[in-house]
Amino acid sequence: MLNDQTMSVVFDGSSLKGMQSSHSLPPQTALSTQELSQEIKSFISGVDAVQGRKLSVREHARCAIRLLRSVPACRGAVLEHLRGVYDEHVSAFLHNLETEGNASSGVSSNLEDIIQEVHGVLSEFIRLNPRAWAPLVSTWAVDLLGQLSSKHAGRRVAPHSSSLNELLQLWMSCAATRSLMEAYSQCLAAMLAWCPDACVDALLDTSVQHSPHFDWVVAHIGSAFPGTIISRVLACGLKDFCSHGSKDQGLLLMGVDKGSRVPKIGSVVGILGHLAAHHSDSIRKELLRMFQESLSPSSPLSPTSSSTSWESSPQLRCAAVPFLLQLAAMSPNLFGAVSSELVELLRPPVLLQLQALLQGLPREELDNMLGLAVHLISQSPSGGAQVLRFLADTATPASVIISGPTPSPHEGVREGCDRLLQMLLLHLHKLVFNRSDGVEINPHNSASCQPQRVIPFLEELRSHVGQLCAETLRLERKRHLWLHQLLCLLSVYGGPSVATETLCQLLTQARNPEELALAWQLHTTLSSCMAGLIPAAVARCVAQIHTQTLGPRQLRQLLLNLSAAIQSQDEERRGAAGAQSSMAVQVGSAVSGHLHDFCPLLLHSDPAVSHAAARLLSCSPLPRAASPAHLLLLSRAAVTHFFLALRRRGEVGTAGRDGGQASEAVNYSVLLLTRFAAYSPLTLKAVLQQLVEGALHRGNTDLFGGQIADMSGAPVLSPSVSPDLGASLLDINCRFGTTVNFSGSVWSVFHAGVIGKGLKVRSATQLPDPSGLVQNIQTLLTVIVQCCSSSGLNGSQSPSDPSELLPINAEAAKVVAVTLVENVCPDVANGELSWPPEEHARTTVERDIHIRRCFDAHPVLFPLLQVVASGRPALCYCSAVLRGLLATLLTHWEASREGSSTDSPWHLQASCLLVSCMGEGQLLPPVLANVHETFPHLTPFEVRLLLLAVWEYVRGNGPLPQKFVFSPEKGMFCRDFSRDGDVARYVAPIHSVLHKNIDRLGHLCWRFQL
């Protein structure tokens, strides 16, 4: 309809001629005043003024075009009428697609030429006088595009509004909508230099009214003018935001309509969302530029700046930050695009500017902004870890040394970040515990059928659990409390998997009791809603050990923390808090189920790791039931670690370093072996066997002052002394030790050397530190005696006197005896307990020499015999070894031509120790067991006489276990020598030697009275 102003317009012929002459279209005859009056009447009434008939759509449109050419003042009415023409063309176009599927039939012959003619006229007007025509045509074109898109959105051939590519292809194939799009693009290009806001404002208004059906227009225009659209859309949105007020915008976010006019910020979000697919970098830069410009001091307008630029308005500059917050809240993708760089921009100068900007806001508006910022952070899909670090660094008190290059913030900035962080934690707490329609559910119940709402901030932090734990364990004031609370929320949100990982990380990274206490606090908090957390955490630690994801330092710290947790049970006995003690019991129970997984760490190449493993296993409770394979594996690893610990202690002492750690490792190893031997008869036997075998192994002989011996028992050159001649199979086959052993026959041979090359070369071995050897032997004997004295195996009670040692278990001592015999002389039969006559020893001379060489090469054998002798009647099972050693000693003393027995120190010592052991094991009566006291004062011949008396007694009174009876008073087996034969006939040589040497042995005569 024409308005009154249009109807009463007075035409000026000169201006009309000027307008007509300016067209580039074919020149047309100027209409007279009467013809113009008829055209106007026909256009208004729709009836031909001359013929009196009704005009068709085509004729009516041509009439409108003539008026548009001739009477520019009629342009409003003409453009309004052309809406119907365009709508008619679009309807026919879509109908044709629905019916025939061909858009090239009847439509183009009727109205498409009209559309083209209208487009040509408007395009020429815009080109010649853009300031007059571009604003009007742009508003008309974009509004008509919105109406057409919404009206025909439900047609069958129209794709869904989310399919922008298909929608764009459909509408751009229609001549009407394509003409409107080209006209708007021409207007926008013309208005960029002087008034882009009007054109963009029309686009925003239409987008608000017709979205989402109008989105294809926004996508096309934005792709054609990305820089302009992004900057102007943001500027127009800011102005609209400021005019409506941030409070109204917040109500819009919550779904409340405030007034008849809808704010444009939703349209701004939609447009930027469409452009983000291909122009995200431009959007990010423009958003950051708007933020920086809003904080920078205002400057006077430059000559080239627009009079409508938002930077020149203080009110708009103050509203920019709330506007950006609102924009980010409505589009998480936009916030995610700028969050990482925004945090980098927030340096102390920028923070001070931001604080100065926010100080002028009312309290209610400031609270709304903080709440909106908290909502943004919690819903941010990316950059959450960076935002958290920034808030924690900035909110940390100035007296605490904070991480990173960030200097100490201003106190007001610090308090603001502190408040924001507290609000964030409170908001996350509400989200975590009310994730399902406001109904609190059990976070551990994975079978809940109710869907749980995703919290993007916590979702991203799930991949940063290790870094969060490391920051928490720094124990900085207030900072570790915030992070610990966040870890609790993250564990509840993520369920058992995240909670287990968090506890595992804390156990791995804690370096002192204060840091380890954070793990117990986390467990105390989570134990109310999660069961079985500690076993799962220990299982995860074991999995990390198997996959070797932990370095030696982390692995050592994990083992030390687990052992500290188990050892805290002692505090419960002293009245400590029940929560920590209960957790200590759970840790001990969980570790006991994985002993077979921890035992390989005893042999770790890093001494610190093996030391920590020994400490853990020595204090952890043993399982109630375990497979024999696991028990044997653990016993072998523990024994091997024991000898490695002895060697490391010796190396540390030799190097002059502090041996506290090495000695502590040995003590833990001894404790581990003792506790493990007391577990069951199987473990006791395994530990004792491996201890004896390990002590006699060629790799450990140097620990106890021994020498490496070959198969015949003779010491051999060490690899560092003997020349490396290379391996030869012929040489190996020619060696005597690899030939068949014909003991006791004429084929017996003695390895004294090689014919033509002289005697065997004795290795010049280095003499080890005597004090270290004595310490190692004492440690070995201590662990063997403690294993053999275990009250859980011999059934005896603990002695009333704490200083009194438990008696050695006879069965345990038998294990040591049998193992010792098997390693010293493997071809000895177990039944060789009785002794033959002394003359018979020549048939076993080679075996006897091998036994003597073993005792010579392994000084630890005599202390082991003494341990066996204490566990009567276990020494009976060493009868063959004792007989072979005594036979070689008799041979030596018989052949010796020295003036005194002290001239053969080793043989003298061996003779004394042998007789002493036999006396301790009650293989000899006391009167014969004391003869070793006289040996240092006698000649070799006299020593042989006394040893021969010992031989005869043992031969006549065989060392049989059946002769021993258990004595309840003493708690051990004892032998009643009164049941044996007369001892006097064996004592006669002793008395004869005493009488001959009465001047030197007079003080010992009372020791040999019957």
Side-chain angles (χ1 to χ4, degrees):
M1 296 292 295
L2 287 175
N3 53 28
D4 297 337
Q5 182 179 2
T6 307
M7 292 293 295
S8 60
V9 66
V10 178
F11 303 107
D12 185 358
S14 61
S15 63
L16 179 60
K17 293 178 181 179
M19 178 67 71
Q20 290 176 345
S21 63
S22 64
H23 292 324
S24 61
L25 299 175
Q28 298 184 11
T29 305
L31 300 179
S32 63
T33 304
Q34 184 178 2
E35 292 174 338
L36 285 177
S37 178
Q38 292 178 354
E39 291 288 347
I40 293 174
K41 291 179 181 179
S42 299
F43 173 73
I44 294 175
S45 62
V47 178
D48 190 342
V50 178
Q51 301 179 3
R53 61 178 178 81
K54 185 175 181 179
L55 298 176
S56 65
V57 175
R58 181 183 179 84
E59 293 172 342
H60 204 166
R62 288 201 175 276
C63 178
I65 294 173
R66 286 194 294 271
L67 283 179
L68 188 61
R69 284 198 179 107
S70 304
V71 189
C74 298
R75 58 188 180 181
V78 171
L79 292 178
E80 186 68 25
H81 172 76
L82 291 178
R83 289 176 181 266
V85 177
Y86 277 75
D87 183 36
E88 181 74 18
H89 179 273
V90 171
S91 299
F93 171 78
L94 295 177
H95 177 74
N96 183 264
L97 286 180
E98 292 172 347
T99 55
E100 301 179 7
N102 185 8
S104 61
S105 57
V107 178
S108 60
S109 59
N110 290 330
L111 296 177
E112 187 167 347
D113 56 339
I114 300 297
I115 298 296
Q116 294 177 355
E117 189 173 351
V118 171
H119 177 73
V121 172
L122 293 178
S123 177
E124 186 66 16
F125 283 166
I126 295 171
R127 185 182 67 81
L128 294 176
N129 192 2
R131 291 184 178 270
W133 286 93
L136 176 66
V137 175
S138 65
T139 303
W140 170 77
V142 77
D143 184 57
L144 182 55
L145 280 172
Q147 290 182 0
L148 295 176
S149 300
S150 298
K151 178 180 179 180
H152 300 285
R155 299 291 287 266
R156 180 166 56 85
V157 293
H160 192 267
S161 58
S162 60
S163 305
L164 290 181
N165 292 331
E166 298 179 9
L167 270 176
L168 189 61
Q169 184 178 2
L170 172 69
W171 291 121
M172 293 303 289
S173 63
C174 176
T177 51
R178 182 173 65 251
S179 170
L180 293 173
M181 184 69 76
E182 293 175 357
Y184 179 80
S185 299
Q186 184 180 4
C187 294
L188 181 59
M191 296 171 65
L192 287 179
W194 50 277
C195 185
D197 288 350
C199 196
V200 175
D201 207 22
L203 182 68
L204 290 177
D205 289 336
T206 309
S207 178
V208 170
Q209 186 176 0
H210 297 287
S211 181
H213 311 299
F214 188 69
D215 292 348
W216 70 274
V217 178
V218 176
H220 182 74
I221 297 297
S223 300
F225 305 93
T228 301
I229 290 296
I230 292 172
S231 59
R232 302 322 304 175
V233 160
L234 286 175
C236 294
L238 175 60
K239 294 177 182 178
D240 185 77
F241 177 85
C242 189
S243 63
H244 278 71
S246 60
K247 185 182 298 185
D248 294 350
Q249 302 289 348
L251 293 174
L252 173 65
L253 182 63
M254 294 182 288
V256 179
D257 189 4
K258 183 90 171 180
S260 58
R261 182 184 174 191
V262 181
K264 300 176 184 177
I265 191 168
S267 179
V268 172
V269 171
I271 292 174
L272 295 180
H274 292 313
L275 297 179
H278 301 287
H279 305 282
S280 60
D281 191 59
S282 301
I283 295 176
R284 176 179 54 81
K285 291 180 180 179
E286 189 62 32
L287 291 174
L288 293 176
R289 189 193 69 83
M290 175 174 280
F291 174 75
Q292 291 176 304
E293 290 292 335
S294 67
L295 298 181
S296 60
S298 59
S299 58
L301 288 176
S302 61
T304 58
S305 60
S306 171
S307 60
T308 60
S309 176
W310 67 270
E311 292 92 339
S312 61
S313 171
Q315 183 181 6
L316 293 179
R317 293 168 66 90
C318 293
V321 172
F323 168 70
L324 292 176
L325 278 176
Q326 190 73 35
L327 197 65
M330 299 179 66
S331 176
N333 293 331
L334 295 179
F335 178 69
V338 300
S339 60
S340 59
E341 292 195 23
L342 184 62
V343 172
E344 294 295 332
L345 289 176
L346 295 178
R347 296 301 178 187
V350 178
L351 290 175
L352 289 177
Q353 294 175 355
L354 185 61
Q355 182 197 17
L357 177 68
L358 299 180
Q359 278 180 345
L361 296 178
R363 181 59 182 263
E364 182 181 0
E365 187 174 349
L366 184 60
D367 290 341
N368 290 337
M369 284 186 59
L370 289 177
L372 191 57
V374 168
H375 171 77
L376 279 176
I377 296 174
S378 64
Q379 299 301 320
S380 173
S382 61
Q386 190 178 9
V387 173
L388 177 64
R389 176 180 286 275
F390 163 75
L391 291 177
D393 287 344
T394 311
T396 302
S399 59
V400 179
I401 301 176
I402 61 178
S403 62
T406 307
S408 177
H410 186 269
E411 186 64 22
V413 175
R414 189 198 64 77
E415 292 178 356
C417 285
D418 189 346
R419 182 183 176 191
L420 184 61
L421 195 54
Q422 296 284 4
M423 293 177 63
L424 175 63
L425 292 174
L426 179 60
H427 182 66
L428 291 175
H429 188 276
K430 294 178 180 178
L431 292 179
V432 166
F433 288 97
N434 299 276
R435 280 191 289 164
S436 183
D437 297 330
V439 181
E440 185 172 350
I441 61 174
N442 183 4
H444 186 65
N445 185 11
S446 60
S448 177
C449 58
Q450 297 179 346
Q452 295 181 348
R453 182 170 48 176
V454 175
I455 306 176
F457 178 75
L458 294 181
E459 280 292 331
E460 192 206 353
L461 289 184
R462 292 179 67 164
S463 60
H464 299 275
V465 172
Q467 295 89 324
L468 288 176
C469 292
E471 291 291 329
T472 305
L473 293 175
R474 293 172 58 188
L475 296 182
E476 292 180 352
R477 189 177 64 183
K478 297 183 80 172
R479 181 192 187 96
H480 79 279
L481 299 178
W482 297 328
L483 296 179
H484 191 269
Q485 185 179 355
L486 182 62
L487 282 176
C488 293
L489 294 175
L490 184 60
S491 300
V492 175
Y493 172 79
S497 60
V498 177
T500 300
E501 181 183 0
T502 304
L503 189 58
C504 180
Q505 289 286 349
L506 292 177
L507 288 175
T508 305
Q509 300 184 28
R511 292 162 295 183
N512 52 56
E514 291 77 13
E515 295 180 1
L516 190 59
L518 295 178
W520 311 150
Q521 295 173 14
L522 178 70
H523 173 262
T524 303
T525 304
L526 299 179
S527 59
S528 60
C529 58
M530 294 186 187
L533 186 57
I534 288 182
V538 173
R540 185 180 182 88
C541 294
V542 171
Q544 290 183 343
I545 294 174
H546 286 317
T547 56
Q548 299 181 354
T549 56
L550 299 178
R553 182 175 299 179
Q554 293 177 314
L555 184 56
R556 170 184 174 273
Q557 195 62 56
L558 171 63
L559 299 175
L560 291 178
N561 290 336
L562 289 176
S563 60
I566 296 175
Q567 289 172 342
S568 64
Q569 296 183 56
D570 298 336
E571 299 181 6
E572 181 181 11
R573 304 183 183 97
R574 304 188 190 105
Q580 182 174 352
S581 303
S582 173
M583 199 198 66
V585 174
Q586 295 183 49
V587 173
S589 176
V591 171
S592 66
H594 294 278
L595 290 184
H596 59 283
D597 296 306
F598 287 106
C599 71
L601 299 179
L602 293 170
L603 309 180
H604 198 276
S605 57
D606 191 338
V609 175
S610 62
H611 175 200
R615 179 177 178 180
L616 173 62
L617 296 178
S618 64
C619 65
S620 63
L622 298 175
R624 294 184 178 181
S627 65
H630 289 166
L631 295 178
L632 293 177
L633 177 65
L634 180 56
S635 65
R636 186 169 295 278
V639 171
T640 306
H641 173 266
F642 170 73
F643 290 109
L644 289 176
L646 290 181
R647 185 171 298 281
R648 288 166 183 160
R649 182 177 66 178
E651 293 173 353
V652 171
T654 303
R657 300 193 300 269
D658 181 17
Q661 292 286 339
S663 299
E664 184 181 2
V666 173
N667 295 335
Y668 281 124
S669 184
V670 171
L671 178 60
L672 171 61
L673 290 173
T674 304
R675 295 183 65 249
F676 193 62
Y679 179 70
S680 68
L682 174 63
T683 57
L684 172 65
K685 183 176 180 181
V687 169
L688 291 177
Q689 282 182 343
Q690 292 163 12
L691 280 174
V692 175
E693 292 174 356
L696 301 179
H697 189 269
R698 60 184 302 168
N700 300 324
T701 53
D702 59 324
L703 295 174
F704 309 102
Q707 301 174 355
I708 302 176
D710 59 12
M711 296 184 65
S712 64
V716 299
L717 289 172
S718 63
S720 60
V721 178
S722 60
D724 185 9
L725 302 179
S728 172
L729 183 61
L730 179 61
D731 292 342
I732 295 175
N733 291 332
C734 290
R735 290 176 184 171
F736 288 104
T738 58
T739 58
V740 181
N741 187 4
F742 298 100
S743 299
S745 67
V746 297
W747 301 105
S748 298
V749 291
F750 303 94
H751 291 280
V754 180
I755 297 174
K757 295 185 180 180
L759 296 175
K760 283 186 176 180
V761 180
R762 283 296 187 181
S763 59
T765 57
Q766 289 184 344
L767 294 178
D769 181 20
S771 61
L773 298 180
V774 173
Q775 186 182 19
N776 290 341
I777 293 176
Q778 289 297 329
T779 305
L780 176 65
L781 295 181
T782 298
V783 66
I784 292 179
V785 169
Q786 290 182 0
C787 292
C788 294
S789 304
S790 175
S791 59
L793 293 176
N794 57 20
S796 61
Q797 300 296 328
S798 300
S800 57
D801 186 5
S803 62
E804 181 183 354
L805 296 177
L806 288 171
I808 293 180
N809 181 267
E811 290 298 324
K814 179 181 176 181
V815 173
V816 177
V818 173
T819 308
L820 190 147
V821 173
E822 290 177 351
N823 284 270
V824 171
C825 192
D827 58 348
V828 172
N830 293 331
E832 296 186 26
L833 300 182
S834 60
W835 287 35
E838 191 268 338
E839 297 82 4
H840 184 71
R842 66 190 62 179
T843 61
T844 58
V845 62
E846 185 179 3
R847 187 181 74 180
D848 296 342
I849 292 176
H850 173 79
I851 293 174
R852 188 199 63 80
R853 286 177 173 172
C854 284
F855 275 85
D856 188 12
H858 301 284
V860 75
L861 283 175
F862 282 111
L864 291 177
L865 277 180
Q866 291 174 344
V867 174
V868 174
S870 301
R872 304 166 192 160
L875 193 61
C876 298
Y877 298 97
C878 294
S879 177
V881 173
L882 298 177
R883 185 175 69 241
L885 180 59
L886 184 54
T888 58
L889 292 175
L890 286 172
T891 303
H892 170 77
W893 294 121
E894 182 181 11
S896 177
R897 295 298 180 264
E898 303 293 341
S900 173
S901 61
T902 55
D903 294 331
S904 300
W906 187 89
H907 296 82
L908 175 61
Q909 183 186 19
S911 301
C912 294
L913 291 175
L914 177 61
V915 176
S916 174
C917 289
M918 296 176 69
E920 177 68 22
Q922 291 191 347
L923 300 187
L924 298 175
V927 66
L928 288 177
N930 297 330
V931 296
H932 67 280
E933 299 178 12
T934 65
F935 288 170
H937 308 286
L938 303 179
T939 63
F941 177 74
E942 292 170 338
V943 173
R944 179 184 181 277
L945 288 178
L946 299 185
L947 290 179
L948 192 58
V950 170
W951 181 290
E952 291 298 328
Y953 179 83
V954 178
R955 185 181 68 84
N957 302 276
L960 303 177
Q962 295 83 355
K963 295 183 178 182
F964 291 80
V965 179
F966 183 75
S967 174
E969 295 82 7
K970 298 181 180 180
M972 63 178 62
F973 287 87
C974 296
R975 180 176 178 179
D976 186 6
F977 290 98
S978 62
R979 296 183 180 182
D980 295 336
D982 185 15
V983 186
R985 65 190 183 96
Y986 303 107
V987 182
I990 301 176
H991 289 166
S992 175
V993 171
L994 286 174
H995 291 162
K996 181 180 179 182
N997 300 281
I998 193 65
D999 55 335
R1000 297 192 305 273
L1001 301 178
H1003 63 288
L1004 296 177
C1005 291
W1006 66 275
R1007 302 277 287 168
F1008 302 100
Q1009 295 179 1
L1010 295 175

